[in-house]
Amino acid sequence: RKEVEQDPGPFNVPEGATVAFNCTYSNSASQSFFWYRQDCRKEPKLLMSVYSSGNEDGRFTAQLNRASQYISLLIRDSKLSDSATYLCVCKGGGADGLTFGKGTHLIIQP
Amino acid sequence: SAVISQKPSRDICQRGTSLTIQCQVDSQVTMMFWYRQQPGQSLTLIATANQGSEATYESGFVIDKFPISRPNLTFSTLTVSNMSPEDSSIYLCSVGDVAYEQYFGPGTRLTVT
């Protein structure tokens, strides 16, 4: 069974703080990894892909550990607008669709 | 990324009826998918919509309940057949690119009474 596990939170974080989310996946054949952001009553939007070497996009840093089957997302200098649900997502090889975690709910407080 | 639209955006239907949801993309895409997001849950893949052939369904989803059409590279439909209240959900289409990143339509919010 393909599973992606996340801490559902909520994480209540003061504005300007740094917050990190973790995610584990059970399908060792997963080849591609992503973080999506979903705002209330909206569709998920791609935040960033996660590469084996890690990647950074502004205040956001994603890391992948294949040996431990573990993905992380770090948000620095958090903004009120970062409040959302963050979905950890894995994709198997070929034309498989995406397997979503249940999401981590983040609330940035002023 | 492609611009994706879905129709209807929401509907309230009676049990036993069927609803067809349309997904339109503004450019040709190879991969199209249909997902379901039940209340308070994450997304679950229903099927991959294959252009010119039958859709590929995930475990737990069958063609008789969720028939899918994909007549060309910009359009797909998902029908929710013989609906029950358990089918109340948000249905989303997505399109994929060569990097395997997927982009989602705005979703169709379905309530079955």
Side-chain angles (χ1 to χ4, degrees):
Chain A
R1 178 179 171 85
K2 303 175 186 176
E3 287 188 349
V4 177
E5 302 286 341
Q6 295 182 251
D7 182 342
F11 284 45
N12 290 281
V13 175
E15 189 176 9
T18 295
V19 59
F21 307 138
N22 301 321
C23 159
T24 58
Y25 60 96
S26 61
N27 182 3
S28 59
S30 295
Q31 296 187 1
S32 303
F33 307 90
F34 311 93
W35 284 101
Y36 278 74
R37 170 194 169 126
Q38 187 170 28
D39 293 286
C40 187
R41 303 177 78 83
K42 297 287 190 181
E43 73 274 20
K45 292 189 188 291
L46 179 65
L47 179 65
M48 60 197 307
S49 301
V50 186
Y51 305 125
S52 296
S53 56
N55 52 311
E56 185 174 315
D57 183 2
R59 298 182 294 109
F60 299 84
T61 300
Q63 297 282 347
L64 168 63
N65 183 322
R66 284 190 184 270
S68 301
Q69 297 185 193
Y70 168 100
I71 304 160
S72 66
L73 176 68
L74 181 78
I75 305 174
R76 290 180 297 279
D77 187 23
S78 53
K79 312 291 185 190
L80 295 176
S81 57
D82 293 334
S83 298
T85 297
Y86 290 83
L87 303 168
C88 177
V89 183
C90 301
K91 183 190 178 305
D96 292 349
L98 302 176
T99 300
F100 283 77
K102 292 188 176 180
T104 297
H105 188 200
L106 173 65
I107 301 170
I108 304 299
Q109 296 175 329
Chain B
S1 60
V3 176
I4 307 164
S5 60
Q6 284 186 234
K7 287 196 287 189
S9 59
R10 60 177 63 232
D11 207 341
I12 301 173
C13 301
Q14 292 190 338
R15 70 174 67 209
T17 63
S18 298
L19 176 72
T20 295
I21 301 167
Q22 299 179 4
C23 179
Q24 179 74 54
V25 190
D26 69 343
S27 59
Q28 293 187 341
V29 292
T30 304
M31 295 179 284
M32 292 183 77
F33 305 89
W34 286 97
Y35 289 81
R36 178 173 76 181
Q37 187 170 27
Q38 294 181 303
Q41 301 297 313
S42 192
L43 282 78
T44 301
L45 178 66
I46 297 172
T48 302
N50 301 308
Q51 194 266 326
S53 64
E54 194 171 284
T56 305
Y57 289 84
E58 295 297 299
S59 176
F61 298 96
V62 295
I63 188 171
D64 290 346
K65 176 66 176 177
F66 297 101
I68 288 171
S69 78
R70 178 129 188 239
N72 56 52
L73 293 177
T74 63
F75 185 78
S76 178
T77 67
L78 168 75
T79 299
V80 186
S81 302
N82 187 25
M83 287 184 284
S84 66
E86 293 71 36
D87 294 321
S88 297
S89 186
I90 299 171
Y91 292 85
L92 300 108
C93 70
S94 76
V95 302
D97 65 14
V98 292
Y100 304 120
E101 296 172 351
Q102 290 186 22
Y103 301 92
F104 287 83
T108 296
R109 187 177 297 271
L110 171 62
T111 303
V112 184
T113 60

